[in-house]
Amino acid sequence: MSNKYIALPKGISEKTFDSAIADFRSVLGDAAVFTSAQQLAPYIKTMMPVPDLDHAPSAALMATTVEEIQKIVGICNRYKVPIWTISTGKNLGYGSAAPVERGQVVLDLKRMNRILEVDKDLAYALVEPGVTYKQLYDYIAEHKLGLWLSMPAPSAIAGPVGNTLDRGVGYTPYGEHFLFACGMEVVLANGEVLRTGMGSMPNSNTWQVFKWGYGPYLDGIFTQSNYGIVTKFGFWLMPAPPAFKPFVIQYENEEDIVEIVEIIRPLRISGVIPNAVVIAHALYEAPVKARRSDYVTGPGSIPDAAVRKLAKDHHLGIWNVYAALYGTQEQIDLNWKIVTQAFGKSGKAKILTEREVGDDPAFKYRAALMRGDMTLQEFSLYNWRGGGGSMWFAPVSQARGSETLKQMALTKEILAKYGLDYSGEFIVGMRDMHHIVDVLYDKTDPGQVKAAYQCFDELLTIFSAQGYGIYRVNTAFMDKVAETYGPVQRQVHKTLKKALDPNGILAPGKSGIR
Amino acid sequence: MRKTKPMRTATVLMLSISVAASVMADMARAATETNADKGFRWRDGAEVYSKVCSYCHQGQVGPRLFGRELPPEYIRAIVRNGSRAMPPFRPSEIDDESLAKLAEYIQRN
Ligand SMILES: Cc1cc2nc3c(=O)[nH]c(=O)nc-3n(C[C@H](O)[C@H](O)[C@H](O)COP(=O)(O)OP(=O)(O)OC[C@H]3O[C@@H](n4cnc5c(N)ncnc54)[C@H](O)[C@@H]3O)c2cc1C
């Protein structure tokens, strides 16, 4: 064990690491290389049910230029020191800013934060990794560009590069973020700089308007991967629509998810409802309005009767469908008719708009997300259990009512075994639904930490046995999820890794790839 | 022109990035960038508060910070280490100088 460092990269001696650090300092300067426990504190805290020290970095580097990054990978290759790249570093519930393996050096690109270009006519942006949604939002407002962002719920403090590279989601019609990515610049492990798609061609001005370029499409292999360090990222923005109508449709029973999904699917596929819809369970919305301790005390998950009472007290449905219409007023009026007719048929749905619930805190933050406005209201989730423990359980489901009900029931049953609540929602898809469940627990309570770990492990085991794959996972469970996709995919990932990063210096272990 | 381009990329984009020349060309491109616009910087404590802290601490998510005369050292420690569900913020996000201004701003209000 080293005294000088809080951790060392796997298989690297303190002496070798000294040399690597000295070289990093000569490139970046002393102030941009952190090694002390105090400096590294903000890179260590995670929300996962494993000791934070299991994911403690050995150092953190703050690079601001492509050239510095090229030199850093040169040093990493020389000493076989692995780096873990973050952009805005707010991957909360998926591993935060900490590396997948103890001892990796964090390459923090937050300071590389220039907005390189926003084109109003073609509605795209080209940004560096450290740009936050808030920075871009303010820039667009200041320059009156009339463009909307799509962002995840941590909006203000997260950023488009890290979010999209991890294939994150938002809530506008551009909510499936990687679908709207267009062109990347990537520093490869050998120090070369690749511009994907049209960006590879000298003098091309179509890098941010045509995704595919020529030959195999490469952008995908730089998402959820460790094949390169993305230093510039292009993506499309939505022109602000002339009118916007958010709404919520409430249902009173868990089984109603079948009807909801059956109604929504054709409306989504045909584009009548254009945005990434959310079907949120009462327990996902409750923390914005209610305290758990008002409804249940002692161990165990919250009983159904208490959830029903809570929903009633706080004007929530057991399911709450948040969606919006975008376009001219005429388009919205027409589509609103189609939506209300479809949901009105069974008599079970309660359809509410800004007029009825404009001041409701849950509706307000959902409406903000659906038009790409900043809000961190969803962090209320952490007041439900307290203690700062959270993992996103994120299986993919068909957008078919029977399937969503089955996944919900199965998740709830497994969570209950461990005394945890079903804080779940279904989001995004036309043909798929990302089933997103916040596995909330108190990280200061060793009993809950243990239960949360075992529960998450069981969720992954049971779901994969039923053929339900996970779209994204925290760093403590990446190998386990990689395993569920079978040996052939794993081998292909490995083959690519060997070819592009033979020394394994880029984030070994990300998505189970080494 | 309606297009906004804070950085002059024209010379940069004209560089050849054929395979053989790519590394050298990229070095040149990187060198140009070093001299370009430096990107985002915080103006003062009030700006950090309004663009980061206020979303939780002015809403119903986290505790109120104003009117409590919280000591600056305490604020600095919580920002850097996080607390329960509050994520820590790195010097790359809020630099030491801006954090000092933020802590002073919160204490003052
Ligand atoms: C309350 C709450 C709600 C949330 N809601 C959502 C949501 O609606 N949608 C959603 O998607 N997520 C959500 N999240 C999860 C997460 O906070 C966001 O996805 C966030 O955008 C990710 O952090 P980031 O943008 O700072 O990316 P980063 O942390 O910077 O990056 C994420 C990962 O991408 C890779 N990476 C980053 N930069 C690079 C690079 N330059 N080159 C190569 N690889 C790189 C790394 O593996 C890194 O760990 C939520 C979290 C919380 C706490």
Side-chain angles (χ1 to χ4, degrees):
Chain A
M1 189 50 214
S2 161
N3 296 323
K4 210 182 293 169
Y5 303 107
I6 63 165
L8 281 171
K10 227 193 256 169
I12 302 293
S13 71
E14 186 173 307
K15 203 162 152 262
T16 305
F17 199 57
D18 282 343
S19 308
I21 290 294
D23 287 4
F24 289 139
R25 288 191 196 282
S26 74
V27 173
L28 300 170
D30 286 351
V33 178
F34 295 161
T35 55
S36 76
Q38 197 193 351
Q39 290 172 318
L40 292 174
Y43 296 88
I44 288 174
K45 183 178 192 296
T46 82
M47 308 184 94
M48 303 184 294
V50 294
D52 283 349
L53 285 179
D54 288 3
H55 293 268
S58 51
L61 313 175
M62 289 186 290
T64 49
T65 67
V66 171
E67 188 187 24
E68 284 174 356
I69 296 171
Q70 289 177 298
K71 288 182 181 158
I72 288 169
V73 295
I75 296 166
C76 291
N77 275 310
R78 192 173 324 136
Y79 298 105
K80 310 281 188 293
V81 165
I83 39 173
W84 175 262
T85 303
I86 59 171
S87 289
T88 35
K90 286 285 176 281
N91 215 2
L92 309 170
Y94 289 116
S96 305
V100 63
E101 286 177 6
R102 179 179 164 81
Q104 293 178 344
V105 174
V106 176
L107 175 60
D108 182 349
L109 302 183
K110 177 67 191 72
R111 284 212 176 142
M112 201 169 174
N113 62 17
R114 291 174 306 161
I115 295 165
L116 299 172
E117 189 179 358
V118 181
D119 190 302
K120 182 177 166 68
D121 303 324
L122 295 167
Y124 69 72
L126 180 69
V127 301
E128 289 188 331
V131 170
T132 60
Y133 287 108
K134 173 68 178 157
Q135 187 189 342
L136 190 54
Y137 182 90
D138 290 346
Y139 180 92
I140 288 169
E142 190 189 324
H143 294 85
K144 300 192 173 53
L145 299 175
L147 297 167
W148 278 13
L149 298 175
S150 172
M151 62 223 170
S155 59
I157 56 175
V161 182
N163 181 272
T164 312
L165 291 179
D166 228 20
R167 295 209 291 267
V169 301
Y171 303 92
T172 75
Y174 286 30
E176 176 65 292
H177 293 159
F178 186 52
L179 271 183
F180 298 90
C182 194
M184 297 175 182
E185 178 185 86
V186 190
V187 175
L188 301 172
N190 66 1
E192 281 187 336
V193 178
L194 166 73
R195 288 189 171 188
T196 62
M198 306 309 281
S200 276
M201 174 178 283
N203 299 327
S204 161
N205 65 3
T206 51
W207 190 21
Q208 268 63 64
V209 297
F210 182 65
K211 284 161 171 266
W212 319 119
Y214 180 73
Y217 171 71
L218 295 176
D219 297 50
I221 69 163
F222 297 108
T223 63
Q224 289 194 1
S225 88
N226 48 18
Y227 300 148
I229 297 166
V230 174
T231 47
K232 291 184 183 60
F233 175 74
F235 58 106
W236 296 338
L237 303 170
M238 177 180 163
F244 165 70
K245 185 183 180 79
F247 56 95
V248 58
I249 302 177
Q250 299 183 336
Y251 277 83
E252 279 179 20
N253 295 295
E254 282 182 345
E255 298 70 38
D256 294 336
I257 184 91
V258 177
E259 174 175 318
I260 295 168
V261 173
E262 290 304 307
I263 294 173
I264 286 225
R265 185 187 52 245
L267 297 176
R268 274 291 280 136
I269 292 180
S270 66
V272 170
I273 295 179
N275 75 315
V277 171
V278 179
I279 309 167
H281 191 272
L283 287 179
Y284 202 99
E285 300 305 272
V288 173
K289 304 174 163 193
R291 279 191 312 204
R292 190 177 191 273
S293 56
D294 289 345
Y295 290 90
V296 59
T297 47
S301 57
I302 186 168
D304 283 351
V307 181
R308 271 195 298 275
K309 173 155 181 10
L310 179 157
K312 209 159 175 227
D313 291 351
H314 294 280
H315 310 289
L316 287 166
I318 288 298
W319 291 112
N320 305 274
V321 185
Y322 296 96
L325 301 178
Y326 305 73
T328 63
Q329 195 56 52
E330 292 84 347
Q331 288 171 315
I332 287 180
D333 291 344
L334 188 65
N335 285 331
W336 183 240
K337 239 186 234 159
I338 301 173
V339 170
T340 47
Q341 269 167 13
F343 277 101
K345 266 188 207 138
S346 74
K348 291 185 192 166
K350 193 164 160 191
I351 306 173
L352 303 164
T353 65
E354 254 172 336
R355 193 177 324 152
E356 296 83 27
V357 287
D359 288 334
D360 179 279
F363 183 83
K364 248 176 146 158
Y365 99 81
R366 292 292 185 176
L369 286 176
M370 291 190 288
R371 63 170 177 262
D373 273 355
M374 300 295 136
T375 161
L376 293 184
Q377 191 68 51
E378 197 165 301
F379 280 65
S380 303
L381 277 166
Y382 302 130
N383 293 331
W384 189 243
R385 280 281 181 173
S390 161
M391 286 175 286
W392 297 104
F393 175 58
V396 177
S397 166
Q398 284 190 344
R400 199 187 295 282
S402 54
E403 284 294 297
T404 47
L405 179 62
K406 197 173 141 202
Q407 282 209 2
M408 187 230 47
L410 190 56
T411 309
K412 199 174 148 189
E413 184 191 317
I414 296 168
L415 286 163
K417 248 176 87 176
Y418 295 92
L420 302 171
D421 298 342
Y422 176 77
S423 305
E425 61 178 13
F426 289 88
I427 55 178
V428 180
M430 293 192 204
R431 294 162 179 83
D432 85 288
M433 292 262 146
H434 293 39
H435 182 192
I436 305 285
V437 183
D438 202 347
V439 178
L440 294 166
Y441 64 97
D442 181 349
K443 197 168 167 166
T444 64
D445 172 347
Q448 280 195 39
V449 170
K450 197 168 158 211
Y453 187 94
Q454 286 172 353
C455 177
F456 202 82
D457 192 72
E458 183 169 337
L459 283 165
L460 296 177
T461 304
I462 305 256
F463 268 66
S464 59
Q466 305 230 3
Y468 294 138
I470 306 303
Y471 103 94
R472 181 179 176 194
V473 80
N474 66 69
T475 47
F477 288 93
M478 285 185 165
D479 282 303
K480 175 150 179 138
V481 170
E483 202 60 43
T484 66
Y485 281 84
V488 179
Q489 173 172 303
R490 253 198 133 172
Q491 191 53 47
V492 173
H493 286 167
K494 212 182 165 94
T495 305
L496 287 169
K497 182 69 176 164
K498 275 227 162 87
L500 290 169
D501 179 18
N503 291 326
I505 56 158
L506 302 181
K510 172 79 183 178
S511 300
I513 306 165
R514 282 177 193 80
Chain B
M1 207 175 81
R2 297 162 84 194
K3 198 175 197 171
T4 62
K5 254 196 185 188
M7 189 190 78
R8 297 196 180 281
T9 47
T11 46
V12 169
L13 289 170
M14 277 162 63
L15 288 167
S16 155
I17 41 171
S18 71
V19 176
S22 70
V23 175
M24 276 186 61
D26 290 318
M27 293 288 193
R29 179 165 58 212
T32 319
E33 282 171 13
T34 319
N35 302 324
D37 161 36
K38 284 276 187 249
F40 183 82
R41 289 280 154 92
W42 296 112
R43 265 194 313 272
D44 51 28
E47 188 186 24
V48 183
Y49 182 82
S50 77
K51 292 186 176 178
V52 180
C53 321
S54 73
Y55 291 105
C56 289
H57 293 281
Q58 202 75 13
Q60 259 93 60
V61 180
R64 290 268 160 166
L65 304 177
F66 288 163
R68 296 169 59 193
E69 289 173 25
L70 294 170
E73 315 78 66
Y74 173 77
I75 293 167
R76 283 204 294 268
I78 298 286
V79 167
R80 288 289 183 246
N81 293 281
S83 171
R84 295 181 167 239
M86 177 181 149
F89 290 84
R90 313 180 303 281
S92 54
E93 296 170 278
I94 305 170
D95 57 277
D96 287 342
E97 200 187 320
S98 302
L99 178 54
K101 289 184 195 159
L102 170 70
E104 195 257 328
Y105 173 78
I106 291 173
Q107 192 191 30
R108 201 158 25 89
N109 279 279

